[in-house]
Amino acid sequence: MRKLHLKLYLAIVGTLVVFLIMCAMVWHHFAPPRMALGGIESATGLAASMLDERPRELDDVREVLVALAYQSNADIVLYDAQGSSVLQIGRHAPALTPQKLARTNWQMTRSGPAFNRRLADGRHLVVHPRHRIILHGLHMGALLTTIGAILALLTYPITRGITARLARLQTGVLQFGAGNLGARVKVEGRDEVAALARSFNESAEHVEKLVRAHQMLLANCSHELRTPLARIRLAIERVPGTDPKVSTELARNIAELDALIGEMLLSSRLDASSGLGRAEAVDLLALAAEEAAHFDLEASGEAVTITADAMLLRRLVRNLLENARVHAGGATGIRIEGDAHQARIVIEDAGEGIPLVDREQIFEPFHRASTATKSSGAGLGLAIVRQIARAHGGTVEYSPREGGGSRFTVTLPRSATP
């Protein structure tokens, strides 16, 4: 968004700069030096006409030249026909050689441009403008620069306002994409950006309704499935003469289906919730030790206390341990680590590890690894682990264990930030 802001700003400022340069070129063409020099030529011509009318006394000539110097803001030199200086008005009048006096009109000298007008009696009237033309040009340049700076300052808030609204819109889109279905953006103004924000809000609301309806349908269906399962279990127990092997197999299948429904209910609840149900102080080491005891394992590490939902964290640890039991023959260790800001739950196993092709999808719902067996579960265990970690504002990562096997690392903030 910063690039777009710079592009808009530079485009506007560049257009203003080009406009000012064109104005300066037009002013330079029609104004000074041409108009200023034209005024000097006219004033010099008028003075020459007065001197050509009749011979004048030196005091009269001086009076004419002083008037010309005042009107033209210039230094004046009057040369005789032989090229000698007769009268000089001003301190910076140039001294022209006879060769330069032979050339009338404008010519460049060491002290700047000078206008040479030949009189009727062979004398030369040389007018050397002072710095008025240059100063006038500098003033005009300073004026144009000031105008450009003011316009640049005025256009900055405009471009920044446009891109700031786009940045806020981008933030809302990113929040919505990250799973915050309630994310909306403020509609500001009545232009195309406001129309885009309004369209996003309408689309987000529609998508949120669809997703919520889907989650509610899934949760309700999963809940209602448990009722007929309970009736089937009771019916099997009451049917006389049933083969014990068949009854055992049916009971096992019903138990797996009931566990699957429980995972679907939990997954739906985590998807539908916008935060933790209850947050309390949880001793991670004690919690891990209690869950590890069910798998004949001991937890090690630091006694780290975080703010979290204890029930969900128990389910997270249990799912990781169960995953290690099913796929790797059991976990080899569970370790708790922590620092001032984060806590980590590290669970390792000595199994075959996860193939590289499956490492990107193992936390996806219902994903089954290429090496999984039929009795490996439905593929919701690790997905629920990731959901629980995200609900606490944390992450879960897989990495190969040194010496073979797998390592799952759950990183959680010390204070819950869902």
Side-chain angles (χ1 to χ4, degrees):
M1 212 50 67
R2 185 177 299 275
K3 293 181 178 179
L4 177 60
H5 163 231
L6 290 178
K7 287 180 180 179
L8 287 174
Y9 183 65
L10 292 178
I12 296 176
V13 172
T15 303
L16 293 175
V17 170
V18 173
F19 174 74
L20 292 175
I21 291 175
M22 295 300 296
C23 290
M25 292 175 63
V26 172
W27 169 82
H28 183 77
H29 182 76
F30 291 103
R34 290 197 176 187
M35 292 184 67
L37 298 182
I40 292 176
E41 293 175 8
S42 300
T44 304
L46 179 61
S49 299
M50 296 174 64
L51 296 175
D52 285 338
E53 286 182 2
R54 55 185 171 83
R56 292 177 178 270
E57 297 295 334
L58 187 60
D59 291 339
D60 296 335
V61 173
R62 180 184 296 276
E63 185 178 349
V64 173
L65 297 186
V66 168
L68 175 62
Y70 176 77
Q71 293 295 330
S72 303
N73 193 22
D75 298 319
I76 311 296
V77 182
L78 179 65
Y79 293 90
D80 59 17
Q82 288 73 36
S84 299
S85 175
V86 178
L87 186 61
Q88 178 174 331
I89 305 299
R91 293 178 298 177
H92 303 288
L96 299 183
T97 62
Q99 291 78 11
K100 287 191 174 184
L101 286 174
R103 300 192 299 269
T104 59
N105 214 327
W106 288 96
Q107 55 185 292
M108 185 59 65
T109 66
R110 291 183 178 180
S111 57
F115 182 68
N116 179 17
R117 175 66 181 266
R118 189 175 183 276
L119 304 180
D121 57 3
R123 292 179 296 176
H124 291 269
L125 183 59
V126 178
V127 181
H128 173 253
R130 294 167 187 166
H131 298 293
R132 182 182 178 187
I133 297 174
I134 299 177
L135 290 176
H136 187 49
L138 292 176
H139 292 161
M140 192 65 182
L143 177 62
L144 293 176
T145 302
T146 303
I147 294 174
I150 293 174
L151 291 176
L153 291 175
L154 291 177
T155 55
Y156 182 85
I158 298 175
T159 57
R160 193 69 187 96
I162 295 175
T163 54
R165 287 191 292 155
L166 290 175
R168 288 190 288 272
L169 178 59
Q170 181 189 31
T171 301
V173 172
L174 291 176
Q175 290 178 351
F176 187 80
N180 183 10
L181 299 181
R184 300 293 185 270
V185 296
K186 184 179 179 180
V187 179
E188 304 174 78
R190 299 181 180 180
D191 53 9
E192 288 80 358
V193 178
L196 181 60
R198 192 178 299 107
S199 299
F200 167 76
N201 288 341
E202 293 174 356
S203 301
E205 184 176 359
H206 181 64
V207 171
E208 182 182 15
K209 289 180 179 179
L210 291 177
V211 173
R212 298 299 184 196
H214 171 73
Q215 292 171 345
M216 290 300 298
L217 176 64
L218 182 62
N220 291 333
C221 289
S222 300
H223 184 271
E224 293 300 325
L225 282 174
R226 284 189 159 174
T227 301
L229 278 179
R231 290 198 294 264
I232 293 174
R233 184 184 295 110
L234 291 175
I236 292 175
E237 293 175 355
R238 293 179 179 180
V239 174
T242 305
D243 188 346
K245 293 183 178 180
V246 175
S247 299
T248 302
E249 181 64 20
L250 288 175
R252 186 182 64 82
N253 290 332
I254 291 174
E256 290 182 1
L257 184 57
D258 187 67
L260 175 60
I261 292 173
E263 291 183 342
M264 292 175 63
L265 280 171
L266 178 59
S267 178
S268 299
R269 182 166 65 86
L270 290 172
D271 280 338
S273 63
S274 57
L276 298 179
R278 54 181 180 180
E280 57 185 342
V282 178
D283 185 343
L284 275 185
L285 184 59
L287 184 147
E290 291 176 8
E291 292 299 322
H294 298 293
F295 294 85
D296 297 327
L297 192 66
E298 292 185 0
S300 62
E302 309 172 29
V304 180
T305 301
I306 68 172
T307 303
D309 187 320
M311 184 183 69
L312 291 180
L313 287 187
R314 287 183 183 277
R315 186 59 178 269
L316 180 148
V317 173
R318 190 181 310 150
N319 280 15
L320 288 175
L321 293 175
E322 181 66 22
N323 180 77
R325 184 190 66 79
V326 172
H327 298 284
T332 58
I334 175 170
R335 186 172 66 257
I336 305 299
E337 303 173 353
D339 53 35
H341 304 287
Q342 294 179 330
R344 288 176 293 277
I345 305 173
V346 182
I347 296 179
E348 297 179 335
D349 63 60
E352 297 180 358
I354 297 176
L356 185 61
V357 67
D358 294 319
R359 292 177 185 177
E360 296 295 329
Q361 292 84 27
I362 56 174
F363 296 105
E364 296 295 329
F366 299 105
H367 174 76
R368 297 172 64 89
S370 56
T371 57
T373 62
K374 291 184 178 180
S375 60
S376 297
L380 277 176
L382 293 180
I384 291 176
V385 168
R386 183 173 66 174
Q387 286 179 293
I388 295 175
R390 287 180 174 178
H392 287 80
T395 60
V396 57
E397 297 178 351
Y398 167 84
S399 60
R401 173 178 172 270
E402 295 180 6
S406 301
R407 175 186 293 114
F408 288 91
T409 303
V410 179
T411 305
L412 302 170
R414 295 292 293 265
S415 298
T417 55

